[in-house]
Amino acid sequence: KVDWADVRKLLSKSDFIPSILNFDADLLSAKQIKLVRDNYLDGNPDLTTEAVMRSSKACGPLFQWAESQIRYSTVYTRIQPLRDEVEELEKDSRSVKDKLETVEAEVESLE
């Protein structure tokens, strides 16, 4: 369990703000997302932006940011297979277009 003293130590580290600025939500694993959702966002109804803001004005926006990163990652992981499929279909389309151009050129040369 994480307590307030642990959070304060984390916030006071010199690399904390750069780590937030350079955070890449695309690199979160499904396991990490599930852990945060289950234990903090969905699994803890008492943990809300308002509750965090009452505890710490500085941590309220940080909580909102973290929540938005998890939501973004959730959507990203859902659409990534679709993006991969679109990329594959685009490759197939280019291949078919190239074949069509070749066939059309052959037909034109035969006429």
Side-chain angles (χ1 to χ4, degrees), residues 45-86:
D46 296 330
L47 185 60
T48 63
T49 301
E50 294 78 22
V52 174
M53 288 291 282
R54 280 193 301 275
S55 297
S56 168
K57 296 280 185 213
C59 284
L62 183 59
F63 176 80
Q64 288 177 314
W65 174 85
E67 186 177 31
S68 70
Q69 296 302 307
I70 293 298
R71 287 187 179 162
Y72 166 83
S73 292
T74 301
V75 170
Y76 182 82
T77 56
R78 283 185 196 156
I79 66 166
Q80 188 57 44
L82 297 173
R83 295 172 86 189
D84 294 342
E85 184 178 351
V86 166

Side-chain angles (χ1 to χ4, degrees), residues 1-13 16:
K1 179 168 170 128
V2 178
D3 63 6
W4 181 238
D6 294 332
V7 173
R8 286 179 37 194
K9 279 187 219 174
L10 177 70
L11 294 174
S12 66
K13 287 185 177 180
F16 178 72

